[in-house]
């Protein structure tokens, strides 16, 4: 089946993302759809993954540690939760409605919005920005010792991939 602009392909591999990419997504309908791998610090007192500064970024682009965070859901996770440690989290990125607690994903949200009448789509689209918040349903947690370096390596791999796509 060919992918149309209305359809989204579920990401079957754990795509490396930054905490900031999830926490600061402007439109939840544009969020990543599927599995992800995110590196950060597991909060000591809440179910959140906090961002880490990335030394490879220019100084004026760096955010301090913990500037952003993303909620974690441990409903299907049965392992040890190493609070306060630098970790690599793998899981599925989902969206939660802040009022109803309804859980969905970016593809379903896009599909729902595309089915609306064009006169109400803009209003509904803007509402989704304030009503849906991303979270990761955790599959696995791994303590890592060189978190910042690993984030930098993931970004370098992404950069190489994008450069190879532009050469085509």
């Amino acid at each position: 089946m060919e992918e149309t602009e209305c359809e989204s392909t579920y990401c079957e591999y754990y795509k490396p993302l930054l905490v900031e990419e999830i926490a600061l997504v402007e439109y939840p309908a544009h969020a990543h759809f599927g599995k992800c791998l995110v590196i950060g610090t597991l909060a000591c007192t809440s179910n959140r993954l906090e961002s880490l500064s990335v030394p490879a970024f220019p100084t004026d682009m760096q955010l301090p540690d913990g500037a952003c965070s993303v909620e974690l859901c441990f409903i299907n996770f049965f392992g040890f939760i190493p609070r306060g440690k630098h970790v690599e989290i793998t899981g599925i990125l989902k969206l939660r409605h802040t009022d109803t607690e309804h859980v969905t994903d970016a593809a379903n949200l896009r599909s729902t919005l595309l089915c609306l009448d064009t006169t109400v789509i803009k209003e509904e689209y803007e509402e989704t920005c304030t009503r849906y918040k991303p979270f990761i349903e955790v599959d696995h947690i791994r303590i890592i010792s060189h978190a910042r370096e690993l984030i930098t390596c993931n970004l370098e791999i992404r950069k190489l991939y994008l450069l190879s796509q532009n050469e085509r």
Side-chain angles (χ1 to χ4, degrees), residues 27-136:
Y27 297 106
H30 295 173
H32 174 71
F33 173 46
K35 295 179 179 180
C36 62
L37 177 150
V38 188
I39 296 170
T41 303
L42 200 50
C44 291
T45 58
S46 66
N47 291 338
R48 302 192 73 75
L49 183 67
E50 299 173 343
S51 62
L52 292 171
S53 64
V54 182
F57 286 166
T59 307
D60 60 335
M61 291 180 62
Q62 285 186 33
L63 294 173
D65 286 354
C68 296
S69 66
V70 64
E71 182 184 345
L72 302 173
C73 173
F74 295 109
I75 197 163
N76 294 321
F77 179 75
F78 299 103
F80 173 70
I81 301 173
R83 301 212 180 267
K85 301 286 186 184
H86 289 175
V87 295
E88 175 183 82
I89 300 275
T90 55
I92 301 171
L93 188 60
K94 295 188 177 183
L95 303 169
R96 179 178 289 116
H97 192 283
T98 56
D99 294 335
T100 65
E101 296 292 315
H102 176 259
V103 173
T104 189
D105 56 49
N108 284 329
L109 193 55
R110 280 192 294 271
S111 295
T112 301
L113 289 170
L114 290 171
C115 292
L116 297 174
D117 182 78
T118 55
T119 58
V120 296
I121 194 168
K122 183 176 182 191
E123 183 180 311
E124 289 293 321
Y125 194 75
E126 293 300 323
E127 184 181 324
T128 64
C129 297
T130 59
R131 300 278 185 208
Y132 283 92
K133 299 297 178 200
F135 70 95
I136 300 171

Side-chain angles (χ1 to χ4, degrees), residues 158-168:
R158 191 186 305 187
K159 179 178 160 185
L160 291 173
Y161 173 75
L162 290 172
L163 289 173
S164 72
Q165 293 299 307
N166 288 336
E167 291 176 357
R168 289 183 183 183

